[in-house]
Amino acid sequence: MRPSLQTVTAPASVQDLTLTRTPDGQQLENIKSHLDLILLALESLSGIGSEAMLLAAKELNLEKVIGDRVTLWRLRQSNPLRKSSGGRKKLDVEEARSLVLIICHLAQQEQDNIRRACALLEQMTEQGKEPHRAALLGDYLDNFSNTYQERMDEESPAPPEFLVRLAFKLLIDLLFYGATNGHRRLWLALMDHATE
């Protein structure tokens, strides 16, 4: 009997996240916003908070960049869509890379939950049923919508249809970001998103 081959994946690294050119100020603003929304989706689905994010930073040896709650809070608050004007207004490329690695690390840890939610979304859609009627998806949508409206600064409340589409798009994205080379996928998506 031959021994089975095991797939060994290299740990995600900041060196994997290269740039062809440095993003300008507006592109960094777009990147900040998108990273914060992805974290919001992850929080809404799995209930993780800053402790899990800081633990992920420690496990990935990113403590020099994101080592405490205040630093993390300032990075999240730097999202120009947020209500609070507090926090830092600037996100540098190194911090963006670190957040990408943290998001993908957490998405890998939550992969079972993400897969279950995506499979349920597909099943409900195929059956022509409202996705929010499934408990897992309903809770996710409620958490996402409530937290979005609580944190984001908008002159008028976001329409429920917009929040549903955004929440489900981010959920599906998380499925890919938690997979092998998810950090590269997210990094490329951010670079694409930054130019929109």
Side-chain angles (χ1 to χ4, degrees):
M1 186 165 135
R2 291 184 350 199
S4 64
L5 295 176
Q6 291 183 342
T7 306
V8 178
T9 57
S13 167
V14 171
Q15 285 78 27
D16 295 339
L17 309 178
T18 58
L19 288 173
T20 54
R21 63 184 175 85
T22 304
D24 64 28
Q26 183 57 52
Q27 291 170 329
L28 280 172
E29 295 288 301
N30 293 343
I31 289 169
K32 284 190 285 193
S33 300
H34 199 64
L35 285 170
D36 192 39
L37 288 173
I38 295 167
L39 281 169
L40 176 64
L42 200 48
E43 287 175 301
S44 299
L45 180 67
S46 63
I48 64 162
S50 58
E51 284 303 315
M53 294 174 203
L54 291 172
L55 181 59
K58 183 177 181 179
E59 290 170 353
L60 295 166
N61 296 317
L62 299 171
E63 291 170 293
K64 288 181 182 175
V65 182
I66 303 172
D68 58 44
R69 282 179 184 268
V70 174
T71 304
L72 179 61
W73 177 81
R74 285 185 175 155
L75 285 175
R76 302 279 312 266
Q77 290 297 112
S78 71
N79 175 357
L81 299 177
R82 285 220 179 206
K83 282 182 182 173
S84 173
S85 59
R88 219 168 21 151
K89 293 296 180 196
K90 176 181 164 287
L91 172 84
D92 66 34
V93 172
E94 204 56 38
E95 291 165 337
R97 285 182 173 126
S98 298
L99 285 174
V100 164
L101 294 177
I102 289 168
I103 287 168
C104 293
H105 183 75
L106 292 170
Q108 285 175 348
Q109 291 177 347
E110 294 294 327
Q111 192 68 307
D112 288 345
N113 203 19
I114 294 167
R115 283 182 192 276
R116 188 168 45 254
C118 286
L120 199 50
L121 176 59
E122 183 179 25
Q123 177 186 348
M124 297 295 280
T125 303
E126 284 176 357
Q127 294 174 357
K129 295 180 180 174
E130 295 289 333
H132 70 272
R133 297 204 180 275
L136 178 62
L137 296 177
D139 290 346
Y140 168 65
L141 284 175
D142 285 346
N143 292 338
F144 184 88
S145 297
N146 292 338
T147 308
Y148 183 95
Q149 291 174 343
E150 182 181 292
R151 294 182 186 173
M152 301 307 165
D153 184 23
E154 297 193 336
E155 292 173 14
S156 57
E161 305 80 28
F162 165 79
L163 291 176
V164 168
R165 282 193 312 272
L166 179 61
F168 285 148
K169 183 202 178 311
L170 292 169
L171 174 64
I172 294 165
D173 289 348
L174 281 170
L175 183 66
F176 293 102
Y177 301 153
T180 303
N181 290 323
H183 62 294
R184 287 187 186 145
R185 287 180 184 154
L186 175 51
W187 187 247
L188 292 173
L190 286 172
M191 294 305 110
D192 288 345
H193 193 72
T195 58
E196 291 176 357

